[in-house]
Amino acid sequence: MIKATKKDKELIVDILTSAFEPITIPNSINFVVKQDAKRRERLQVLMEYLFNNSLRFGEVFLSDNRKACALIQYPHTKKITLQTVLWDFKLALKCIGLMNVVKVLKRELALKKYHTKEPHIHPMILGTYSDERGKGHGFRLIKNLQEYYKDSTLPVIIETTTKENLDLYQYFGFEIFKETSELQYPLYFLRKNLNK
């Protein structure tokens, strides 16, 4: 596993766009991204936004073969700065669409009420190139992440919408602590304490 830097942004955005572009079912990504003819470009804006925030308030990792990535954030370290406001504005304008901003803000409030208020590690997004799916890159990356964070006293909180991801996270010892469908799609919140 490689710790990514700013110079890896284009690669990471490419991996995540490739991973999520074929997925059209209702989920968190499709809820945020305006669904129109510019969907791919809007996805790229979202992935750039997540990369920037993760690099600033967390860490970004690439698999050794550079075909999968994970964006991790530490929510307790987040701060509002001029830069983050500009990132938010670009996201609203070029990804969400101004007409959908209120809907997305409601989603964020709904998510916040289920997340713990205590400091925690939050894997924001994990992805593999779509043509590499099923080859174990994501599995190995999660294994490497667990090893990287094994001495952390912070719990890991993650959410997912798919049964496939739910099964994978449960395989790694994550436990569901909340399940909801209030956002028009199933959403599972999982937690794991790494140092136990």
Side-chain angles (χ1 to χ4, degrees):
M1 184 172 75
I2 305 160
K3 197 167 176 182
T5 66
K6 195 171 185 171
K7 68 179 177 56
D8 297 307
K9 179 161 72 171
E10 190 176 319
L11 173 63
I12 302 245
V13 167
D14 192 48
I15 291 170
L16 293 173
T17 302
S18 170
F20 287 92
E21 187 177 18
I23 301 170
T24 57
I25 61 166
N27 64 18
S28 296
I29 300 292
N30 289 324
F31 190 85
V32 171
V33 175
K34 184 176 179 182
Q35 302 297 303
D36 62 10
K38 295 182 178 178
R39 183 172 177 267
R40 179 175 177 76
E41 292 132 52
R42 295 182 190 285
L43 269 172
Q44 289 171 324
V45 171
L46 175 62
M47 299 317 172
E48 182 180 316
Y49 175 84
L50 293 173
F51 174 86
N52 288 335
N53 274 280
S54 298
L55 202 59
R56 179 85 174 261
F57 303 113
E59 299 179 271
V60 178
F61 297 97
L62 279 162
S63 60
D64 288 329
N65 64 7
R66 302 173 68 84
K67 295 186 178 190
C69 63
L71 280 58
I72 312 294
Q73 291 185 16
Y74 309 125
H76 57 284
T77 67
K78 281 192 154 189
K79 296 178 189 140
I80 297 173
T81 67
L82 178 59
Q83 184 68 66
T84 62
V85 169
L86 291 173
W87 291 340
D88 289 347
F89 184 72
K90 180 179 179 183
L91 183 72
L93 196 61
K94 295 191 172 193
C95 174
I96 298 169
L98 294 177
M99 300 300 288
N100 295 321
V101 168
V102 172
K103 174 183 87 163
V104 171
L105 288 174
K106 284 182 184 176
R107 173 193 176 272
E108 291 304 309
L109 288 173
L111 290 177
K112 274 188 182 177
K113 73 182 174 186
Y114 298 125
H115 274 273
T116 179
K117 305 297 182 242
E118 67 184 305
H120 62 280
I121 299 164
H122 185 206
M124 290 299 295
I125 192 165
L126 292 90
T128 301
Y129 276 119
S130 60
D131 60 351
E132 294 289 327
R133 193 170 283 149
K135 296 182 180 177
H137 304 309
F139 183 89
R140 284 188 294 280
L141 188 56
I142 293 171
K143 209 169 170 185
N144 289 336
L145 286 167
Q146 286 200 140
E147 179 64 25
Y148 181 83
Y149 287 109
K150 72 179 178 190
D151 296 325
S152 176
T153 57
L154 299 178
V156 179
I157 307 292
I158 195 166
E159 65 270 346
T160 188
T161 58
T162 68
K163 179 80 168 96
E164 178 185 22
N165 288 344
L166 181 63
D167 291 344
L168 179 64
Y169 297 140
Q170 288 179 317
Y171 173 84
F172 279 105
F174 285 84
E175 295 178 0
I176 297 172
F177 68 87
K178 181 65 182 172
E179 183 178 335
T180 181
S181 291
E182 75 179 81
L183 296 172
Q184 303 159 1
Y185 53 87
L187 191 58
Y188 306 95
F189 293 84
L190 298 100
R191 177 185 178 117
K192 181 172 182 179
N193 294 325
L194 296 172
N195 63 351
K196 288 189 176 185

